Amino acid sequence: MALTLDTYRLLGRSGLRVSPLALGTATFGTEWGWGAERDEARKLFDRYTELGGNFFDTASTYTNGSSERLLGEFARTNRDKMVLATKYSTLRQPGDPNSGGTHRKSMLASVEASLRQLNTDYIDLLYVNVWDFRTPVEEILRGLDDLVRQSKVLYVAISSAPAWQVSRMQAIADLRGWSPLVALETEYSLIERTAERDLIPMAREMGLGVVPFSPLGGGVLTGKYSREDQNQAGSVVGETASNRKSLNVALGWVTDRNLAIADVVKEVASELGRTPAQVALAWSLNAPGVTAPIIGARTLAQLEGNLDALQVDLTPSQLARLDEVSAIDLGNPHSLLASDHIRTVTTGDMKIETLG
């Protein structure tokens, strides 16, 4: 079924309505060497909102703060219509260990910086980003709840953390009456489906909407990579627009498996008269538990091409082919508990399900 940006979805256990595709704004600003200048970023923002989009993803450190500053400037006239999601925990000031991490000091300082850069009184959704394995979860949860009670933050969420830790946090928040987590941001695409082992089932069970990043697998699913590119690995240091392709090779994105998946994506795209990127995004939009994949763009043409994924209607057979070529081993105990490992034993009037 075709969607539009104003086919809003509820975010997790909250009543917050968000667009089915979130606009990632890490491309707002050129400080990282490959983003969009202010005027082009403004076009991206205007086109997305013109079509009904309301869900924006940023972070206090994206493009050295330009992402938040530009987003805040653009959203100012219709702030209440926008759902601004930002993150904290990445290092903001090199040399100051307390300017990063998930602890309370980092949290409060980062939120205050985001409020200034976004030029707003409140943040709609705050993610705990990049789990540091050091800060007690009670410190994080209580700090987040304090921010909600102060109306500086409306909803809280988490990104890049183990499923067992997220579920533990959600249970503690529920038991203590603190603000619950309503969203999980995680990497998820046809070439990166490991979130299906624990993260996505956990999110569905615990009431978190799933917001995937990198739904195009670092660009591999756009069809622009070939097997010849595997021999052109570059350095992962100093990413620029000119070496982005070799960087992704060096990061391990361009493998035989991933290229085989991209080939099937291209086949399906050809059948539908669509681009591979649109097919890959349409698959993620159809994935169980997913609320809103995050798309990024540096040009208006790229944005409009990605948004056209909302109109892609994959057939059951096409979905099955995509699922088959990208399938992963769920591992123990998931594989053991699969239906073909369970048999029913009848004893008298009783039926017992057992492994075997």
Side-chain angles (χ1 to χ4, degrees), residues 169-242:
M169 293 174 71
Q170 193 75 316
I172 292 172
D174 286 344
L175 287 170
R176 298 196 177 182
W178 292 339
S179 299
L181 303 168
V182 301
L184 169 73
E185 186 171 309
T186 186
E187 184 177 354
Y188 186 51
S189 71
L190 276 165
I191 66 172
E192 178 48 79
R193 294 179 59 182
T194 54
E196 293 176 7
R197 289 179 177 142
D198 291 297
L199 284 166
I200 291 177
M202 175 278 300
R204 298 178 70 183
E205 182 72 19
M206 304 299 289
L208 286 76
V210 177
V211 182
F213 66 83
S214 294
L216 297 179
V220 175
L221 295 172
T222 64
K224 66 183 180 182
Y225 290 86
S226 68
R227 281 158 182 81
E228 287 73 25
D229 292 319
Q230 291 176 296
N231 299 320
Q232 299 176 9
S235 172
V236 298
V237 179
E239 178 182 352
T240 66
S242 61

Side-chain angles (χ1 to χ4, degrees), residues 134-332:
R134 291 177 176 83
T135 307
V137 295
E138 293 83 359
E139 178 179 339
I140 299 169
L141 290 167
R142 181 55 194 270
L144 293 173
D145 188 64
D146 286 345
L147 289 170
V148 173
R149 292 175 187 272
Q150 295 166 15
S151 297
K152 292 183 178 182
V153 171
L154 302 187
Y155 298 94
V156 297
I158 194 162
S159 172
S160 302
W164 66 268
Q165 193 68 275
V166 178
S167 57
R168 176 183 174 222
M169 293 174 71
Q170 193 75 316
I172 292 172
D174 286 344
L175 287 170
R176 298 196 177 182
W178 292 339
S179 299
L181 303 168
V182 301
L184 169 73
E185 186 171 309
T186 186
E187 184 177 354
Y188 186 51
S189 71
L190 276 165
I191 66 172
E192 178 48 79
R193 294 179 59 182
T194 54
E196 293 176 7
R197 289 179 177 142
D198 291 297
L199 284 166
I200 291 177
M202 175 278 300
R204 298 178 70 183
E205 182 72 19
M206 304 299 289
L208 286 76
V210 177
V211 182
F213 66 83
S214 294
L216 297 179
V220 175
L221 295 172
T222 64
K224 66 183 180 182
Y225 290 86
S226 68
R227 281 158 182 81
E228 287 73 25
D229 292 319
Q230 291 176 296
N231 299 320
Q232 299 176 9
S235 172
V236 298
V237 179
E239 178 182 352
T240 66
S242 61
N243 68 14
R244 188 83 184 271
K245 197 169 187 178
S246 59
L247 172 74
N248 284 341
V249 176
L251 289 173
W253 288 103
V254 186
T255 65
D256 288 338
R257 172 186 178 273
N258 291 349
L259 290 173
I261 295 170
D263 286 342
V264 176
V265 171
K266 286 188 282 188
E267 291 171 8
V268 172
S270 178
E271 294 167 9
L272 295 171
R274 296 287 185 173
T275 67
Q278 290 163 1
V279 169
L281 287 171
W283 177 87
S284 66
L285 281 163
N286 279 279
V290 168
T291 301
I294 300 171
I295 57 172
R298 295 194 302 275
T299 67
L300 189 59
Q302 288 176 342
L303 174 64
E304 291 183 334
N306 286 339
L307 293 179
D308 282 344
L310 294 165
Q311 305 300 311
V312 176
D313 193 6
L314 297 170
T315 67
S317 63
Q318 288 168 339
L319 283 170
R321 284 159 57 196
L322 293 169
D323 285 339
E324 181 180 2
V325 72
S326 62
I328 60 168
D329 180 3
L330 293 179
N332 185 52

